[in-house]
Amino acid sequence: MIRKATTTSVLLVASLFAASAIAQERPRLILQITVDQLRGDQPTRYYDRLGEGGFRYLWESGIVYRDAHHGHANTETIVGHATLATGAHPSNHGMVANLWFDRETGFTTYNVEDPNFTLLTKGASVDANTEIDPTQRAARSDGRSPAAMLVTTFSDELRSNTGGEAKVVSVSIKDRGAVSMAGHSGTAYWFSKANGEFVTSTYYLDKYPDWVVAFNNAKPTQQFAGTTWQLLHDQDSYLFGDSDDRAWETDVGGFGRVFPHSYGDGSSKYFTTWLTLSPPGDKLVLDFAKQALLEEQLGQDALTDYLSVSFSSTDYVGHVFGPSSLEAEDNILRLDRTLAELFAFVDKEVGLENTLIVLSADHGGPDTPGYLQSLKIPAGYVDPGSWDKAAAIARIKKAFKVEADLIAAYDHPYVYFSDAVKNNPGIDQHALEAAVVDELSKFHGVSLAVSSSALRDGNLPDTDIYRAVVNNFNSKRSGEIFIVFEPNWFINDMEGLTVASTHGSPWRYDTYVPIVFAGAGLAPRTVDRRVHTVDVAVTLSAYMNIKPPSGSAGVPLTEVLAK
Ligand SMILES: [Zn+2]
């Protein structure tokens, strides 16, 4: 009897101990940071000039994965964000591109547009006259929701696991940077360039919380009126200090190609655009995220909350000036300060020991052809306008006896055949796709064209590039042909806006991103094993002992789980 009691109490103590160990593994807050277009080498490129508490905090106290890549081919913003959020490949989460051709409506669709849920703020929708983001201009409604995301996110699973008690808030300059990470059940806020305020849609809220109204009423953009973007340090100390003015940099609406970049008095129609393509964009997101954490009381009790912060400035700076430019260098040093401010704030309000931080990027990015050429590295801009498409199409139409239009849309990287051709039982689709692949492969700048029927047949070489195209393939949204340009060759004309560089390829500079976990008592470690961005959400799920997102394909990163 006594012996049994002893055994029971030993077991009881053991199980209590185990239970508390599991409970202790749940942090109060999960902070998921996504930096738009932060190629894997960028955080440490200027390491000697980083300050304390930002990137250095992550890299020196966290678990750093040095060979982390996206596993899909179309390395664009929504594709990468959705992958980080869901742990799924685009084939499953459905966000195959920033824009895809919707066969049902016959229109090109912007990933998070949804006419059923209008913006909660009137007058905040995209202004087509000043919007430089061509994907934003393509949206036909100002409504936004995650409806097109076909699977759950980690944040959804956290809400689901806690009966909806866990708070999930997501913030970004870009709507797609916020909507993706909030999942279906969280709340997303993003920045409206039209009115300079943070907004949401009726999908999330019927009415703004008082703190959001107060934040917007304080006119957060006005602090930058009459100021300039100046270098943080002495120009001589910069790697690109003597090459500020490069011919390939873009002057957006008079913002200029050299420091100091003036924001004017705040009256320019490009004022808010300039803020987003320079460090103030990140500063606005930081301030809003801090306020959200305070007002929504994120991380204030034992139930784990989730905050996603997606910083967009690095992407716009990369597009406009290139990732190897004085602007990009200063932007990284300032992003480092922005991160330091965020971590210090979280430490004060929640405690970094109670916060699991994960930082990654939605994609990397190529260097500008001009920069690469100056180093004798082959690179260039692809100009689809120079392709003799008419002759190629005529040859194909003749061979297949097609009268109707052959192509319905080319939303890079996908070519979509017209319904007339696709639904014609008299046309051998395999042969037709093969013929188009043949013609495309002859065009200057095209490295590879992959047909959907080849993907369906599974009869492809087992290479990273083909696997990435497969991972990107969703039968409802992908086109018939996926075009891959030559490495370091890409389109720089984004619907009329000439940019210095564009990501979106399956090549390594575009798939290469940082993945770093820190806080929550993790011990510093560097891991050189190849890992993928689909692993992030799955790792968070495993860390929390909750079920993984519905379409997830990744595996838990065991270094983060080891205690
Ligand atoms: Zn981009």
Side-chain angles (χ1 to χ4, degrees), residues 78 81-83 85-86 92-95 100 111-112 145-153 155-156 179-184 477:
I78 189 60
H81 275 88
T83 299
T86 64
N92 278 348
H93 65 59
M95 298 302 216
W100 63 82
N111 53 85
V112 292
S145 88
M149 208 153 57
L150 305 174
V151 298
T152 60
T153 58
S155 53
D156 283 332
V179 169
S180 49
M181 308 309 287
H184 301 271
R477 296 180 184 167

Side-chain angles (χ1 to χ4, degrees), residues 36-37 77 98 174 176 315-316 319 362-363 494 503:
D36 208 309
Q37 201 184 136
T77 301
N98 280 338
K174 296 184 182 179
R176 57 191 183 273
D315 181 62
Y316 290 125
H319 282 296
D362 56 346
H363 51 76
M494 300 206 311
H503 50 85

Side-chain angles (χ1 to χ4, degrees), residues 2 27 54 161 182 254 386 425 494 548:
I2 289 166
N161 179 264
S386 71
M494 300 206 311

Side-chain angles (χ1 to χ4, degrees), residues 426-457:
I427 296 176
D428 178 344
Q429 295 293 325
H430 275 68
L432 177 65
E433 290 182 18
V436 174
V437 162
D438 245 25
E439 291 287 354
L440 279 168
S441 304
K442 292 179 205 160
F443 290 146
H444 187 249
V446 174
S447 168
L448 193 71
V450 186
S451 77
S452 291
S453 52
L455 297 181
R456 284 203 186 84
D457 294 349

Side-chain angles (χ1 to χ4, degrees), residues 518-546:
L522 294 179
R525 188 164 177 187
T526 301
V527 181
D528 288 321
R529 171 168 48 84
R530 167 70 55 87
V531 299
H532 293 95
T533 47
V534 288
D535 300 334
V536 169
V538 180
T539 301
L540 292 175
S541 299
Y543 190 93
M544 292 294 293
N545 269 305
I546 68 175

Side-chain angles (χ1 to χ4, degrees), residues 9-25 563:
S9 54
V10 167
L11 283 174
L12 188 67
V13 168
S15 75
L16 276 174
F17 183 76
S20 70
I22 287 168
Q24 275 170 12
E25 282 186 18
K563 278 268 177 177

